[in-house]
Amino acid sequence: MCKMEKFLYHRKLWEMNVKLLGESKVEKLKNSFVSRPRMSLWMIRAVTVLLLWSCFVHLMALGEMWGPRLFKGWPSCFNHNALPLSSPPVDMTSLPTKIALPPKRVYVNNGYLMVSCNGGLNQMRAAICDMVTVARYMNVTLIVPELDKTSFWNDPSEFKDIFDLDHFISSLRDEVRILKELPPRLKKRVELGVYHEMPPISWSNMSYYQNQILPLVKKHKVLHLNRTDTRLANNELPVEVQKLRCRVNFNGLKFTPQIEELGRRVVKILREKGPFLVLHLRYEMDMLAFSGCSHGCNPEEEEELTRMRYAYPWWKEKVINSELKRKDGLCPLTPEETALTLTALGIDRNVQIYIAAGEIYGGQRRMKALTDAFPNVVRKETLLEPSDLDFCRNHSSQMAALDYLVALESDIFVPTNDGNMARVVEGHRRFLGFKKTIQLNRKFLVKLIDEYTEGLLSWDVFSSSVKAFHSSRMGSPKRRLVIPNRPKEEDYFYANPHECLQLLDEPLRVI
């Protein structure tokens, strides 16, 4: 029977059935076809979609596991590096990077630690690293550190204005729990003054924090450490403690994206013109007043510096013999002494010299010797438009952060004083591959400079002596000098964190 005949036969049977059923039955039959429950149809579609998605996910998982064998040449949805072989080169720096967060460390919380940092940017930076480490080994929760707003610089910047706060919290969450503020109940207690506050002892080891500080945290629930500079020893600490200090410093503390971007722009401007040297010329008014160093200043300037020193009661040393201190190597080099030293070291006259500092005391009059010897002296203010610096103007710590970034990237870094920025940048440059940092010995230099200016030494003898003495002071690998019970005189941990660096296996030098 052909298809047409079958069709006509079935149609005739259907018409006969219709007649037998009657009109009412037909209506019900039609409705049974048309009004099938919509929910059943929706469920069928949903289950179908889920099954298809499940198959897709399993196929992609197989592709990740057996990439070389299956889906060869396919782009992976979960791996930005697995691009088609035929694709053109892609600038990965232009793509947003998604960083996997470390898993949170789970521990019984012994209480909450509040800390107030004191000093300039790099003194506070080192203190933050120490306090994160202390909090981790006491198993407490750290509240984001409060920065110093009452020092000479009077900088109102908060932590989040200088450092990437979210990165700080998330990147260290596998070590310690960090909160932006206390839980409401404890915050209320602090507002009512129901908490304990104290300065920890300087240069302490971990047993001090375990045996004396931790019981106070457990007792009071909230402990506020109101001074944090150099409160952890340089040496005789477990290696894992030292490595955590490094991790916080080199990974946990990133500057804000705005500061980092401006730093990259300054470095790019400098690089377009060739190599550059960063000179940390610590010859600002506050440093000279605090140290009592006035060599090369006129009587009016000496009087101004003395008045300033007496105006700050927390600067304990008031009567200072400037020349004696200079001969002991305890004063920053003057711009004139710096010009002689750089020339004696054989620094190219045409190299760019970026001044990483605030306003130089004495202005152009004191800078003349340096700019005459090295005409390509620049500052952030001369490289950038005024509007570029608007966000950090009158915020000394944000300005110092910009200088810090440029100093890290320089071909040579030369500090004229061994302050916190000089030492912390030196250590960071060691971590980045022992980048050249010239550690000037000021006691040796001022003696030599005086002999040269008095005509007792020829230029050749002066220059060769400076070069020979500093040939081993260029930031090359070495271990810290340890002086038991004299932490201020030994090598500073953050200037040379050798536990975190690749060094030759040699014993610590102890004197």
Side-chain angles (χ1 to χ4, degrees):
M1 188 182 291
C2 67
K3 291 183 179 180
M4 182 58 71
E5 288 175 329
K6 286 183 179 181
F7 173 75
L8 292 172
Y9 173 75
H10 287 295
R11 181 175 178 179
K12 190 173 183 179
L13 285 175
W14 185 81
E15 288 174 351
M16 290 173 64
N17 288 332
V18 167
K19 289 178 181 179
L20 291 171
L21 288 169
E23 294 299 327
S24 60
K25 300 280 186 176
V26 170
E27 287 300 320
K28 289 181 180 178
L29 186 61
K30 288 181 179 178
N31 290 337
S32 69
F33 288 119
V34 176
S35 59
R36 180 169 297 196
R38 294 185 178 181
M39 183 60 72
S40 298
L41 185 60
W42 181 87
M43 287 295 294
I44 291 169
R45 289 176 178 171
V47 169
T48 303
V49 170
L50 288 172
L51 285 172
L52 289 171
W53 176 249
S54 177
C55 292
F56 173 76
V57 170
H58 280 82
L59 286 170
M60 293 311 301
L62 284 171
E64 289 293 319
M65 186 180 299
W66 303 101
R69 304 173 204 177
L70 299 174
F71 310 113
K72 188 172 182 179
W74 284 30
S76 168
C77 295
F78 308 108
N79 184 356
H80 295 296
N81 294 322
L83 295 172
L85 297 177
S86 59
S87 296
V90 176
D91 181 9
M92 298 304 293
T93 61
S94 65
L95 300 177
T97 55
K98 188 174 182 180
I99 301 173
L101 297 176
K104 289 183 179 179
R105 176 171 169 256
V106 179
Y107 59 94
V108 177
N109 181 32
N110 288 322
Y112 294 83
L113 182 65
M114 300 169 59
V115 297
S116 294
C117 302
N118 55 290
L121 173 67
N122 293 288
Q123 183 170 313
M124 293 191 291
R125 183 186 183 105
I128 292 166
C129 299
D130 289 349
M131 292 300 106
V132 169
T133 304
V134 166
R136 188 259 182 257
Y137 283 94
M138 292 197 302
N139 285 333
V140 301
T141 296
L142 177 69
I143 307 303
V144 170
E146 178 188 21
L147 303 188
D148 192 343
K149 302 179 182 66
T150 61
S151 64
F152 167 81
W153 299 278
N154 199 28
D155 186 344
S157 297
E158 302 285 352
F159 189 102
K160 63 181 177 59
D161 298 322
I162 300 173
F163 299 107
D164 187 330
L165 178 55
D166 291 333
H167 172 80
F168 175 68
I169 293 172
S170 61
S171 67
L172 297 168
R173 70 181 196 163
D174 60 331
E175 294 287 357
V176 64
R177 184 184 181 210
I178 304 174
L179 298 180
K180 294 180 181 179
E181 59 181 11
L182 285 166
R185 179 178 58 85
L186 293 174
K187 187 177 180 181
K188 187 67 176 177
R189 285 182 57 183
V190 170
E191 290 171 353
L192 295 173
V194 186
Y195 69 102
H196 190 66
E197 182 177 22
M198 63 174 289
I201 295 175
S202 298
W203 312 110
S204 298
N205 56 28
M206 294 308 294
S207 63
Y208 166 77
Y209 287 97
Q210 288 287 345
N211 299 332
Q212 298 190 45
I213 300 299
L214 181 55
L216 293 174
V217 179
K218 290 181 175 179
K219 177 181 178 182
H220 299 281
K221 301 302 179 187
V222 178
L223 177 65
H224 180 206
L225 300 181
N226 53 21
R227 290 187 71 84
T228 54
D229 58 313
T230 61
R231 305 294 150 153
L232 200 54
N234 291 317
N235 302 294
E236 298 181 355
L237 296 175
V239 172
E240 59 270 20
V241 169
Q242 302 289 53
K243 287 188 174 181
L244 180 54
R245 296 168 90 179
C246 290
R247 181 182 170 188
V248 181
N249 191 21
F250 304 137
N251 178 261
L253 288 176
K254 286 177 58 179
F255 294 122
T256 63
Q258 191 174 22
I259 294 174
E260 295 253 353
E261 173 57 31
L262 196 58
R264 284 191 290 269
R265 198 189 313 173
V266 172
V267 171
K268 182 181 178 182
I269 292 170
L270 290 165
R271 281 270 173 250
E272 287 173 348
K273 297 181 179 178
F276 67 97
L277 177 153
V278 167
L279 179 64
H280 182 42
L281 187 61
R282 193 68 170 96
Y283 204 74
E284 299 106 324
M285 185 178 183
D286 67 291
M287 169 53 71
L288 301 182
F290 172 77
S291 64
C293 298
S294 57
H295 182 76
C297 297
N298 59 41
E300 291 77 16
E301 289 170 335
E302 289 183 4
E303 179 61 30
E304 183 180 38
L305 295 173
T306 301
R307 286 198 305 270
M308 181 182 218
R309 184 162 62 254
Y310 278 89
Y312 290 89
W314 52 86
W315 290 357
K316 296 178 181 179
E317 195 176 8
K318 302 299 182 183
V319 180
I320 300 173
N321 185 322
S322 175
E323 287 305 311
L324 182 61
K325 199 167 186 178
R326 174 178 174 267
K327 284 180 167 50
D328 286 338
L330 301 176
C331 286
L333 293 182
T334 67
E336 296 87 354
E337 292 168 342
T338 303
L340 281 172
T341 300
L342 294 180
T343 305
L345 285 168
I347 301 297
D348 186 350
R349 167 180 169 78
N350 296 311
V351 74
Q352 298 173 96
I353 295 184
Y354 176 93
I355 303 296
E359 184 179 352
I360 302 303
Y361 192 62
Q364 289 301 317
R365 176 178 63 84
R366 297 304 303 273
M367 287 292 289
K368 187 177 185 306
L370 183 62
T371 54
D372 285 349
F374 299 92
N376 294 321
V377 172
V378 298
R379 304 173 60 92
K380 50 188 170 289
E381 293 85 356
T382 61
L383 296 174
L384 299 169
E385 295 295 329
S387 59
D388 293 330
L389 294 168
D390 282 348
F391 77 93
C392 57
R393 203 177 305 281
N394 300 321
H395 293 79
S396 61
S397 290
Q398 294 181 47
M399 288 286 201
L402 179 58
D403 285 342
Y404 186 102
L405 290 171
V406 180
L408 287 185
E409 296 297 324
S410 64
D411 297 281
I412 306 174
F413 176 59
V414 183
T416 61
N417 190 49
D418 61 351
N420 289 289
M421 178 172 177
R423 294 184 293 176
V424 175
V425 169
E426 177 190 343
H428 205 150
R429 286 173 65 85
R430 287 177 183 274
F431 177 77
L432 294 175
F434 302 101
K435 301 174 79 171
K436 190 172 183 178
T437 300
I438 304 179
Q439 302 139 1
L440 301 177
N441 184 304
R442 297 185 305 283
K443 184 175 182 179
F444 171 82
L445 284 171
V446 295
K447 179 178 182 296
L448 217 61
I449 288 170
D450 288 346
E451 290 176 355
Y452 170 71
T453 54
E454 292 169 8
L456 301 177
L457 293 177
S458 68
W459 174 258
D460 289 342
V461 172
F462 172 72
S463 178
S464 60
S465 299
V466 172
K467 288 176 182 175
F469 188 89
H470 290 91
S471 62
S472 60
R473 300 174 64 88
M474 299 286 180
S476 56
K478 67 174 184 178
R479 292 185 178 268
R480 285 191 308 278
L481 174 68
V482 180
I483 307 178
N485 303 316
R486 288 154 62 189
K488 290 184 179 181
E489 299 175 34
E490 67 184 4
D491 288 347
Y492 185 47
F493 171 77
Y494 290 101
N496 183 14
H498 68 243
E499 295 89 341
C500 313
L501 311 175
Q502 294 294 322
L503 295 172
L504 297 174
D505 188 15
E506 59 182 9
L508 293 173
R509 290 185 296 138
V510 181
I511 63 172

